[in-house]
Amino acid sequence: MNSALSVRSISKSFGGLRAVRECSLEIAEGAVTGLIGPNGAGKTTLFNIICGLFRPDSGNVHLRGRDVTGQPAHRLFHRGVVRTFQIPHEFAGMTVLENLMLVPAGQSGENVFRAWFQRPRVRREEHAIVKRAHEVLDVLQLGRLSGELAGNLSGGQKKLLELGRAMMSEARVVLLDEPAAGVNRTLMKTLNAAIRRLNRECNYTFCIVEHDMNFVRRMCNPVVVMAEGATLVQGTMDEIMADQRVLDAYLGGRRD
Amino acid sequence: MELLGIANYLVLFLTIAGVYALLTLGLNVQWGYTGILNIGVAAFFAVGAYTSALLTAPATAQPPGPGLPVAVGMLAAMPVAGILALGIGLITLNLRSDYLAIASIGIAEIVRLFLKNEEWLTNGVRGMAGIPRPFAGVDIAGWSAGGALYLALTIAVIGVVFAALQILYRAPWGRALRAIRDREVAAEAMGKNVLWFRLQSFVLGSAVMGLAGAVHVHYAGFIGPEAIDPLFATFIVWVMLIAGGSGSNLGAIVGALAIWAVWSVTELLGQIPEEPITGFGALRVFLIGLLLQVILLLRPQGIVPEPRE
Ligand SMILES: Nc1ncnc2c1ncn2[C@@H]1O[C@H](COP(=O)(O)OP(=O)(O)OP(=O)(O)O)[C@@H](O)[C@H]1O
Ligand SMILES: [Mg+2]
């Protein structure tokens, strides 16, 4: 199987703290890869490196065979990688609708001169974007909050908004950082269905960090375990659960 | 006669308030839209003023100039101030905003020293006099209407700038800037080239400040390096924007009018006693600061809060 993303011995330190150490990982095209590991294993840091927010100290990131190490995040977005944040990064002073409308790439109204002189075109695009944003909000059951300032949403609603932004993009490689945390179960089922559908019907590639093992078992194959900044094992959920090293990592993580 | 005096004073007051409204609109694009902390407003104002002055000064002026039309001067003031901003922005905009603020203070000082010392160009500390004042000497039924006509021009300029900025605020361009202001990292992750947007916002805001300088110089007919006074050209503009409602273009204009009104009234008060009060200038600054505190306590978002769709 081809790799959508391939992480090759990435390292990243913060001061003296080695958050990611010689970490390698393949995210297969068209798969839903789970990334689990104890708190502080370096999962979020790895996401930040992959999507271009952090520059690694060493190692490479390849997107469909192309070296994208150190490229700025906005360029990776346009190359088709989108991510959600574990701690919601909503645009607090903008409405829920605006949070979503911001996302689509290639809006002509982002150009000063087009905004001034091609207003009908900008307006047409805006109509289409509003429509799409409302569709996404309906899926997320946030429709009645569309005019609310995003800063006023609850924690779980902000997580949904994170997902919504990813859904507004056209990126085919989607990195989700703990999408289920704080989201109610019924809604999570809807979201799981949406993720499956995007994966099966539209061939989206997902990599999902999640602590909820039931979620991971249901949604992800393969599952990769990270501990202390490096990948430990990779396999199906059952294989991983049977692996003594994984148990040690989690128990060890809990002990200190 | 009394009435005419009041009318003339009002025209004077509104024209200066109009120049401040333009400066505040420019700062709103930078701070209100994008969160760029520019403490060097005076520099862009001065560069705009000097640009227009240099281009429009007639052969008889001190120093002599090519005498181009005032409209050319005003239009040129914008790109020149904008190019200065482009140069500064390329160096500083990837700095954290507090560092950018410090850099902008330094740059304002460099611009002031340049205008003061490059005598061959700017006539140094003596400043440039004899800059054309459109409509000066126009007489309508015995009333010298030059001031009023220039005020009308100023209002028209403000109207065009306001409309242009308002369109941008509502457009995806403004949306991207506000997103950057709220959460730079998330905007970047959503594909927005944060540096490029910040640069555009900085350049556009500075161009409007340059235009304010040009409007000022053709009203005053004179410009000297003391125009880069951090109190008058930067501090007050910030107060106007914060009081009026940072993020709101209408707020920027209302804030400029309100604060300039208070400033002017306190000036009149200062002239009432026979003996001028020592330290009155400092007292005025204190009063303005106090007023800002009161406004922000009563209306934390300013007099005209930023609109939310
Ligand atoms: N910006 C940063 N500055 C300093 N240290 C950081 C930074 N980001 C992460 N770290 C450190 O790097 C280590 C890995 O953190 P990371 O957030 O990647 O863990 P994680 O696997 O996502 O954990 P969790 O499951 O709790 O979210 C932690 O020790 C953390 O304190
Ligand atoms: Mg994490």
Side-chain angles (χ1 to χ4, degrees):
Chain A
M1 206 180 252
N2 287 333
S3 283
L5 274 168
S6 136
V7 172
R8 300 180 189 167
S9 54
I10 288 276
S11 296
K12 174 79 188 172
S13 300
F14 297 106
L17 187 117
R18 295 178 68 197
V20 177
R21 321 177 183 190
E22 299 281 319
C23 179
S24 298
L25 169 70
E26 303 287 324
I27 296 171
E29 185 89 56
V32 180
T33 304
L35 184 57
I36 64 171
N39 293 121
K43 306 177 295 289
T44 299
T45 306
L46 189 64
F47 267 19
N48 284 333
I49 292 169
I50 292 174
C51 81
L53 285 179
F54 293 166
R55 186 183 274 277
D57 300 333
S58 61
N60 295 294
V61 178
H62 288 243
L63 174 65
R64 302 213 172 84
R66 174 185 202 146
D67 191 346
V68 293
T69 321
Q71 288 198 2
H74 67 87
R75 194 168 304 152
L76 269 151
F77 176 92
H78 293 291
R79 293 201 193 284
V81 182
V82 72
R83 63 86 58 90
T84 67
F85 291 90
Q86 176 179 357
I87 300 161
H89 278 40
E90 78 284 359
F91 304 115
M94 291 163 57
T95 65
V96 167
L97 191 69
E98 284 181 306
N99 266 262
L100 296 189
M101 291 180 67
L102 173 87
V103 176
Q107 301 185 34
S108 14
E110 284 180 2
N111 175 299
V112 170
F113 295 99
R114 293 219 175 114
W116 278 333
F117 302 115
Q118 299 188 356
R119 298 184 67 196
R121 172 170 167 185
V122 172
R123 209 171 302 133
R124 254 194 327 276
E125 288 181 12
E126 287 284 274
H127 275 306
I129 293 172
V130 168
K131 192 159 161 270
R132 189 152 136 221
H134 277 297
E135 285 165 12
V136 168
L137 288 177
D138 285 342
V139 172
L140 297 173
Q141 301 175 11
L142 289 176
R144 65 192 172 80
L145 292 173
S146 67
E148 188 63 55
L149 290 186
N152 296 342
L153 297 186
S154 75
Q157 289 166 335
K158 285 180 186 172
K159 295 234 64 149
L160 291 175
L161 192 59
E162 282 284 333
L163 268 179
R165 283 199 306 218
M167 290 161 78
M168 287 296 290
S169 79
E170 255 145 48
R172 293 305 178 93
V173 178
V174 185
L175 311 177
L176 304 178
D177 201 344
E178 303 198 15
V183 174
N184 84 66
R185 287 216 173 158
T186 2
L187 187 49
M188 207 53 226
K189 277 186 189 141
T190 323
L191 295 178
N192 290 352
I195 291 173
R196 278 217 187 82
R197 191 168 45 78
L198 287 172
N199 175 244
R200 297 215 177 118
E201 293 170 19
C202 311
N203 203 35
Y204 276 55
T205 301
F206 286 91
C207 179
I208 307 180
V209 169
E210 189 47 71
H211 286 295
D212 176 346
M213 292 303 156
N214 289 323
F215 174 96
V216 177
R217 180 183 293 278
R218 247 180 285 120
M219 298 293 296
C220 305
N221 186 23
V223 177
V224 180
V225 183
M226 251 185 110
E228 296 183 350
T231 45
L232 204 58
V233 274
Q234 169 166 357
T236 66
M237 194 65 177
D238 291 328
E239 286 165 7
I240 279 176
M241 284 318 215
D243 196 306
Q244 187 58 40
R245 286 172 298 174
V246 176
L247 286 178
D248 288 346
Y250 271 94
L251 291 176
R254 243 173 242 156
R255 213 174 21 231
D256 53 44
Chain B
M1 209 52 231
E2 182 78 336
L3 212 60
L4 203 60
I6 292 176
N8 282 339
Y9 183 78
L10 206 62
V11 165
L12 171 89
F13 164 79
L14 286 174
T15 310
I16 299 177
V19 169
Y20 275 118
L22 285 171
L23 282 173
T24 313
L25 282 169
L27 185 62
N28 188 37
V29 174
Q30 299 176 342
W31 172 251
Y33 288 17
T34 326
I36 297 172
L37 202 54
N38 178 4
I39 317 274
V41 176
F44 302 101
F45 173 79
V47 165
Y50 270 95
T51 299
S52 201
L54 284 167
L55 291 175
T56 59
T60 55
Q62 197 49 253
L68 293 173
V70 167
V72 173
M74 286 191 176
L75 288 176
M78 287 187 279
V80 173
I83 287 167
L84 176 70
L86 182 71
I88 296 169
L90 283 174
I91 304 166
T92 59
L93 276 182
N94 55 355
L95 298 180
R96 270 190 14 222
S97 64
D98 37 357
Y99 294 135
L100 170 63
I102 293 165
S104 67
I105 297 173
I107 284 150
E109 190 57 18
I110 291 169
V111 170
R112 193 179 67 83
L113 289 176
F114 176 84
L115 295 174
K116 198 171 146 190
N117 293 324
E118 299 304 308
E119 294 215 6
W120 58 276
L121 185 69
T122 64
N123 211 21
V125 283
R126 288 182 303 265
M128 301 180 63
I131 311 303
R133 302 171 58 204
F135 314 120
V138 174
D139 221 85
I140 299 177
W143 180 50
S144 52
L149 288 173
Y150 195 75
L151 173 61
L153 175 71
T154 306
I155 292 173
V157 169
I158 295 172
V160 171
V161 169
F162 175 79
L165 296 184
Q166 203 61 9
I167 289 173
L168 288 184
Y169 180 87
R170 296 207 184 105
W173 189 79
R175 188 161 63 214
L177 296 188
R178 284 178 286 137
I180 290 167
R181 179 191 67 186
D182 275 8
R183 275 288 182 151
E184 192 174 318
V185 167
E188 177 82 25
M190 293 303 123
K192 308 306 170 201
N193 188 338
V194 169
L195 256 171
W196 173 230
F197 275 107
R198 282 164 63 96
L199 193 61
Q200 291 180 54
S201 156
F202 189 55
V203 168
L204 183 69
S206 300
V208 173
M209 292 170 186
L211 179 63
V215 170
H216 168 79
V217 82
H218 293 295
Y219 150 77
F222 171 84
I223 185 80
E226 76 281 5
I228 314 187
D229 177 343
L231 173 64
F232 277 104
T234 300
F235 169 73
I236 285 202
V237 179
W238 269 95
V239 174
M240 287 166 171
L241 180 60
I242 306 289
S246 164
S248 157
N249 290 319
L250 192 61
I253 295 174
V254 171
L257 274 171
I259 297 298
W260 189 242
V262 172
W263 189 260
S264 306
V265 167
T266 53
E267 174 160 36
L268 292 181
L269 288 181
Q271 288 166 357
I272 288 172
E274 299 286 297
E275 296 280 306
I277 310 169
T278 46
F280 184 68
L283 184 66
R284 273 167 93 194
V285 174
F286 170 74
L287 283 176
I288 291 286
L290 190 68
L291 177 72
L292 180 66
Q293 296 290 328
V294 171
I295 292 176
L296 290 183
L297 278 175
L298 298 177
R299 293 183 70 89
Q301 311 287 323
I303 304 170
V304 185
E306 180 178 2
R308 314 278 190 193
E309 336 242 295

